[in-house]
Amino acid sequence: MAIIQATDQDFQSVLQNNERVVVKFFADWCGNCRLFSPKFKRMADNEEFAGVAFVDVNAETSPEARKLAGVSNLPFFAVFKNGELVEGAATSKEEYVQEMIRKTV
């Protein structure tokens, strides 16, 4: 599945239109964010996560989305189910992000 690029303007709409959502908050200057991008793409293409919307949000240009997810550091991942935050964490561990996504089942 393609990764959705979202901003403050359409973030709520993405949450409302998708039952299960995982968001990667990043910044252009964040090296770990760039290093995680191929892993995030691989997860988005993983059959196990077929019903999950994968979303990229630039934390620097989307302060409202950042506040809603409680972003504390980058990269930061947040999982939502039915528009409600399930869990959020600053991590660079692919396995941890996968476990977060599984909590939305």
Side-chain angles (χ1 to χ4, degrees), residues 5-72:
Q5 305 296 318
T7 64
D8 275 351
Q9 287 70 38
D10 55 7
F11 189 69
Q12 286 290 353
S13 174
V14 170
L15 293 181
Q16 291 170 359
N17 293 326
N18 296 280
E19 180 184 352
R20 299 167 62 207
V21 178
V22 59
V23 184
K24 178 181 68 146
F25 289 90
F26 70 94
D28 292 333
W29 51 262
C30 173
N32 283 338
C33 300
R34 285 194 300 277
L35 289 172
F36 202 92
S37 288
K39 298 174 189 175
F40 199 60
K41 173 77 172 110
R42 191 169 48 246
M43 282 190 275
D45 293 337
N46 186 332
E47 188 85 12
E48 178 184 358
F49 305 124
V52 179
F54 284 74
V55 182
D56 264 343
V57 173
N58 187 323
E60 291 189 298
T61 59
S62 298
E64 293 303 314
R66 187 176 67 227
K67 189 174 7 171
L68 184 66
V71 175
S72 59

Side-chain angles (χ1 to χ4, degrees), residues 42-103:
R42 191 169 48 246
M43 282 190 275
D45 293 337
N46 186 332
E47 188 85 12
E48 178 184 358
F49 305 124
V52 179
F54 284 74
V55 182
D56 264 343
V57 173
N58 187 323
E60 291 189 298
T61 59
S62 298
E64 293 303 314
R66 187 176 67 227
K67 189 174 7 171
L68 184 66
V71 175
S72 59
N73 208 337
L74 297 174
F76 190 92
F77 297 86
V79 291
F80 294 84
K81 184 167 184 177
N82 299 319
E84 296 294 320
L85 180 64
V86 174
E87 185 177 353
T91 184
S92 292
K93 298 192 184 313
E94 184 175 0
E95 298 80 18
Y96 190 84
V97 176
Q98 290 173 346
E99 287 304 314
M100 288 173 56
I101 297 169
R102 290 181 184 114
K103 292 178 182 177

